[in-house]
Amino acid sequence: MSAIGIDLGTTNSATSSYDPERKEVSVLTNSSGKNLTPSVVGLYRRDGAERFIVGDTAVKWAARQPRETVVSVKRLMGRAFADPLVEQAREKLSYEITQGPDGDPRARVRMGDRVLSPDQVSALILRQLAQDASRSLGEEVTHAVITVPAYFGDAQRAATRDAAEQAELVVKKIIDEPTAAAVAFGLHKKSGERSRILVYDLGGGTFDISILHAVKNEEGHGQFHVLRFDGDSWLGGDDFDQAIVDRIVTWVKDTYGIDPSGDKNFLYAAKEQAEQAKWELNAQESTDIVILAAHRAPDGTVIDVEMPLTRSEFDGLIEPMVRRTMTLVDKTLTDEGLTADDITDVLLVGGSTLTRAVYETVENRFGKDKVRRNINPMECVALGAGILAGTLHAIECPEPECQRLNAESATECEDCGRSLANARSVGDTGLHEVTGPAMGIAAVRGSQRDVFVPIIPSGTPYPLPEPRRQTFETTDGRRIRVPVYEGNQSVASRNVEQGVIEFELPEDIGLHRRVEVSFNYSLDRIIKVRISVPGTDLVKEDTPNRDQQGPPAAQHEEQDAAGLGPTLEHVAKETREFLADYEEYMEPSQRMKVERDLELVQRALDRGESGEYARLTDLLLTDMYNHCGLASKLMQAKRATDGASPQLGQQIIEAVGHVRTAHERGNREQVTQQARNLTNLVARAMDERSVAEVPTAEDYGSHLRVPIDRLDT
């Protein structure tokens, strides 16, 4: 058995191997004799046959067939087709991104007549990397430590593991890229030396910041404690290239009056030249971008590109992105209670840190003496993964009174029998990590739906010694639906849905029971969910079903046949009228949420996503009647007067007038007082049952409810 480290990058990938006797790690060369393999997959055709090509070979053929050459597939891993980031990729990438078959919400890529998932494409890259590594080492590679961006969510990590399994690799560990880089850096530290390291990792497609404590023990092995991390999963060197591509498109428009942005071949050629210009401007003040026969105009004219670009112009194009990275750096330091002075070492990781404007900005912030550039930033992640592949050799039992070291292949502790599903990989290199965004569920809190209830908070030390638990109550009936979300927003739908857990309560269990939901992570920080009803034998253990992100279409098939589409259109029309009538009474954040939800509705209607109609109808009703503060109170009052008794109706109208007057005068205290009086009058109207009830979510979509005794927590 041979184990390697793999940096599965957005633009390039690399592998490495650790020699435990010499305590040295080295990057392995590929079949082209190079250290880096382009993360590119193409479809090669000859004599009626087809086969996939990977790496440098795929790059050579890309100019001929840009629509059948997949690049930057890492950005699509684990994402739904409707994800705004995927929509952004569809506009910029040369190949077709499509929806999965049979209602599968996940993104797919089309290559010729074939439709592949991003993990299938990544599996082709991983298989090529493993084959090249086997050739280089002279023995078969079977195991690997694979790196991912620190801010990769649960779905992205699961997709990475799926890709490795399809490539017939045993995954020893999925490790965060900045942590792997710190491990590689620690190899050069002296025994006993302590560091507080900030890793600035700007790759082709993602940006990560991690802060770690590191110390090298007397045996020469590093111990690493991850303190905090943050990042942007859609910011990297590809975006630098795209900024130049956009500049080329503008130049063609200004010079020839023609828009070439719909020409996939032109965009691919522009992307190649943009990347070359980016590197040239590190060493020189200006360069010329030349693309002969770049585009054919509608009248048949062939257009050449001959555009000058200076370093100062390039720096201006990428300045907002570089500034964004430093904003995230400052936020991460502040969240950990640190300043730049508290950092002993800054590691520049990822090929994009070779860009002059990037490394000069970091040096200006921390000082040149702290910025370490003694390891190739394009290779250090792979080197760290290789060290871990060679030095992690056991799984520690999580039982505090046991802690036996078990073989890597074990699923249960050989001594106490405890499950090793959430155990920690251990070895000569010590790793102590923390979780990323919070993980929780969408639930009902009071009269509010779409509430995010965290179960594992952000920054929790990982692996967890015990699962994290929360108690809820059932709502509608025997159907239990638990949507799992990852993120830090209080509104569940603003976070990233990981999938759902669904089941039916047996007839012998009464309704409105308490339900316990517990979360834990697997070795690779992939969420495991356990749902139980205390006092019964009912236990449901599962991972979220990502095939049902968002309400499954089948769930609403009958309702949709009865006209849910027109209903959603009608409610959207009412919501637009609500926005027009009451916008002045909303906070900016409330108005932005309503506008965003209306955009989601329009997108779902345009795409015919009928499985979303019920949820979005419910979301708009909640926006109007519950989530918009004073505007919602005024909307409720208007509804209440329609069927109220004449006397009470008149009182409500007068109370509305008082609220509006106080608001116009800017008297917040009086607004609050008058709004309270209005709320009481509306409640009286509803108690009299003279009007239809204001929509308040009688149907909670089988979601769980936060118990009354926990409403303030």
Side-chain angles (χ1 to χ4, degrees), residues 240-461:
F240 293 0
D241 299 341
Q242 186 61 44
I244 300 177
V245 170
D246 293 342
R247 177 71 184 88
I248 297 172
V249 169
T250 300
W251 183 88
V252 172
K253 288 180 181 178
D254 294 343
T255 305
Y256 296 100
I258 294 171
D259 183 359
S261 59
D263 183 344
K264 297 292 187 181
N265 290 328
F266 169 85
L267 294 178
Y268 191 90
K271 174 75 164 55
E272 283 191 316
Q273 292 300 313
E275 186 173 1
Q276 180 178 332
K278 176 180 65 177
W279 299 127
E280 288 175 353
L281 289 173
N282 279 335
Q284 55 198 51
E285 293 294 330
S286 65
T287 188
D288 291 313
I289 295 175
V290 178
I291 312 174
L292 300 179
H295 177 66
R296 184 179 294 276
D299 64 1
T301 303
V302 175
I303 293 173
D304 296 329
V305 172
E306 297 181 57
M307 186 191 86
L309 183 67
T310 67
R311 182 189 296 165
S312 62
E313 287 174 327
F314 173 59
D315 290 349
L317 292 175
I318 69 172
E319 190 275 335
M321 290 173 270
V322 177
R323 179 167 17 99
R324 164 73 173 152
T325 69
M326 297 311 296
T327 298
L328 286 169
V329 166
D330 291 338
K331 176 181 178 295
T332 308
L333 288 170
T334 300
D335 290 346
E336 188 58 26
L338 300 173
T339 68
D341 293 338
D342 297 315
I343 300 299
T344 61
D345 302 274
V346 178
L347 308 188
L348 295 183
V349 179
S352 298
T353 61
L354 295 171
T355 303
R356 180 185 290 266
V358 172
Y359 68 74
E360 287 183 348
T361 299
V362 177
E363 289 176 346
N364 290 337
R365 181 73 173 82
F366 290 94
K368 269 190 174 184
D369 59 319
K370 290 185 179 180
V371 179
R372 311 300 175 210
R373 303 177 65 186
N374 55 314
I375 301 180
N376 187 333
M378 302 278 282
E379 299 177 355
C380 60
V381 170
L383 291 170
I387 294 169
L388 292 169
T391 58
L392 294 178
H393 48 68
I395 301 177
E396 183 182 69
C397 176
E399 185 63 43
E401 297 181 0
C402 180
Q403 296 186 325
R404 176 190 170 93
L405 298 184
N406 296 268
E408 290 179 296
S409 59
T411 58
E412 295 181 349
C413 178
E414 296 178 17
D415 279 357
C416 69
R418 169 135 182 201
S419 170
L420 299 175
N422 65 319
R424 183 166 69 95
S425 294
V426 295
D428 299 330
T429 301
L431 288 177
H432 304 271
E433 302 167 275
V434 295
T435 61
M439 189 72 73
I441 71 171
V444 179
R445 185 190 296 272
S447 63
Q448 294 183 329
R449 288 162 289 179
D450 199 25
V451 174
F452 180 59
V453 181
I455 295 179
I456 300 179
S458 175
T460 300

Side-chain angles (χ1 to χ4, degrees), residues 627-641:
H627 281 171
C628 287
L630 187 58
S632 292
K633 293 181 186 297
L634 293 173
M635 179 72 162
Q636 291 179 23
K638 180 180 179 181
R639 177 71 178 262
T641 57

